[in-house]
């Protein structure tokens, strides 16, 4: 089954404790991205990756890091989480440059992060 | 700058009534437009997409949307609401011409009451 998976689904942590949210897709997609969802703001892009070892900032990258060492995985790293990073996070993937602009973007189930 | 505006953060309808969720966009180049649905505790699922092939687009679960360039709108409709339609709906655009980024509206939460 084609899917995007994220782990963990729920995470409660404390300020300053480094964490990683994993994301994996099994569709051989080139393009992957991370979004955060906040009430009244919709989804905002944090980082994206066009392919292995190619990443770039989205609209709200501060406080986040990413890496793309393998095509299928795109982890999101919070080196020193703060309460304003409490949010719902989604990983997404689509075919990317080998496809067309109309390709569907597939989303993971989300990770609800609370930073105390 | 590109943007998506969804009018009404909350919409409430009776079961069997028409569903109308509004989406207006601003884009410097012809856009591709999408509607996604998010059920509680789930990720986003594509409902339908406009790819310039036809202005009236039919999607899953009986939803459809019409692209109106003159009004820069892409409103989502369903003739008869069902209780299972209660969810949050997001309109999004992607610029044509090789762009990858999806720009989302703030979302509209649809409530369906008996």
């Amino acid at each position: 089954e084609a899917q995007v998976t994220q782990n963990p689904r729920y995470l409660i942590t404390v300020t300053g404790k480094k964490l990683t949210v994993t994301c994996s897709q099994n569709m051989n997609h080139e393009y992957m991205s991370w979004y955060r969802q906040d009430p009244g703001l919709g989804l905002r892009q944090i980082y994206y990756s066009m392919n292995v070892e190619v990443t770039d900032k989205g609209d709200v990258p501060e406080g986040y890091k990413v890496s793309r060492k393998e095509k299928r995985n795109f982890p999101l790293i919070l080196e020193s989480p703060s309460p304003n990073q409490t949010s719902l996070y989604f990983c997404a993937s689509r075919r990317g440059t080998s496809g067309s602009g109309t390709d569907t973007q597939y989303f993971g189930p989300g990770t609800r992060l609370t930073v105390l | 700058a590109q943007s998506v505006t969804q009018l009404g953060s909350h919409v409430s309808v009776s079961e069997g009534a028409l569903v109308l969720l509004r989406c207006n966009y601003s884009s410097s180049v012809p856009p591709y437009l999408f509607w996604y649905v998010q059920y509680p505790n789930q990720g986003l699922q594509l409902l339908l997409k406009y790819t310039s092939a036809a202005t009236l687009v039919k999607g899953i679960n009986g939803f459809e949307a019409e692209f109106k360039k003159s009004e820069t709108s892409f409103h989502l409709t369903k003739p008869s609401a069902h209780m299972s339609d209660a969810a949050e709906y997001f309109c999004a655009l992607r610029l044509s011409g090789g762009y990858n980024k999806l720009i989302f509206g703030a979302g509209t939460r649809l409530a369906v009451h008996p």
Side-chain angles (χ1 to χ4, degrees):
Chain A
E1 178 190 356
Q3 59 182 353
V4 179
T5 57
Q6 295 177 228
N7 282 292
R9 294 290 312 277
Y10 301 90
L11 179 59
I12 301 174
T13 189
V14 295
T15 299
K17 185 176 181 181
K18 180 179 179 180
L19 66 92
T20 299
V21 183
T22 65
C23 172
S24 183
Q25 50 91 6
N26 63 0
M27 296 169 277
N28 201 36
H29 284 168
E30 295 170 342
Y31 183 82
M32 298 185 73
S33 56
W34 276 101
Y35 295 86
R36 61 178 289 174
Q37 182 184 1
D38 301 291
L41 297 177
L43 279 78
R44 295 177 292 168
Q45 191 181 58
I46 302 170
Y47 267 95
Y48 65 95
S49 170
M50 300 289 287
N51 214 323
V52 175
E53 303 291 4
V54 182
T55 63
D56 207 348
K57 297 177 180 178
D59 297 317
V60 288
E62 294 76 21
Y64 304 95
K65 284 177 57 178
V66 293
S67 68
R68 187 93 180 270
K69 299 188 188 310
E70 304 166 284
K71 198 172 187 178
R72 62 183 293 128
N73 296 324
F74 190 45
L76 179 70
I77 303 157
L78 284 71
E79 296 269 3
S80 183
S82 62
N84 64 11
Q85 293 178 298
T86 293
S87 188
L88 180 58
Y89 292 86
F90 288 101
C91 181
S93 75
R94 62 182 284 262
R95 204 185 313 177
T97 53
S98 64
S100 78
T102 61
D103 288 344
T104 297
Q105 184 150 279
Y106 295 87
F107 286 81
T111 295
R112 187 166 292 282
L113 172 64
T114 301
V115 183
L116 302 175
Chain B
Q2 289 67 232
S3 65
V4 176
T5 302
Q6 291 183 240
L7 299 174
S9 58
H10 291 80
V11 171
S12 182
V13 300
S14 300
E15 191 173 19
L18 171 73
V19 175
L20 170 60
L21 304 182
R22 299 178 188 274
C23 172
N24 288 90
Y25 69 90
S26 173
S27 176
S28 55
V29 300
Y32 300 122
L33 293 160
F34 305 79
W35 274 100
Y36 282 86
V37 59
Q38 183 182 29
Y39 298 105
N41 299 314
Q42 294 187 27
L44 278 71
Q45 178 183 0
L46 182 69
L47 269 180
L48 51 80
K49 60 184 177 182
Y50 166 73
T51 62
S52 75
T55 57
L56 182 62
V57 182
K58 295 188 184 299
I60 61 172
N61 301 339
F63 284 93
E64 63 181 37
E66 186 171 9
F67 173 72
K68 291 187 177 181
K69 184 178 179 180
S70 61
E71 299 176 9
T72 61
S73 68
F74 190 56
H75 301 331
L76 182 70
T77 60
K78 182 174 181 178
S80 177
H82 193 271
M83 298 295 288
S84 61
D85 294 326
E88 188 154 23
Y89 293 79
F90 292 94
C91 183
L93 79 78
R94 179 184 299 136
L95 299 180
S96 58
Y99 293 89
N100 284 291
K101 182 180 176 180
L102 266 182
I103 299 166
F104 284 87
T108 297
R109 186 168 298 278
L110 175 67
V112 182
H113 52 87

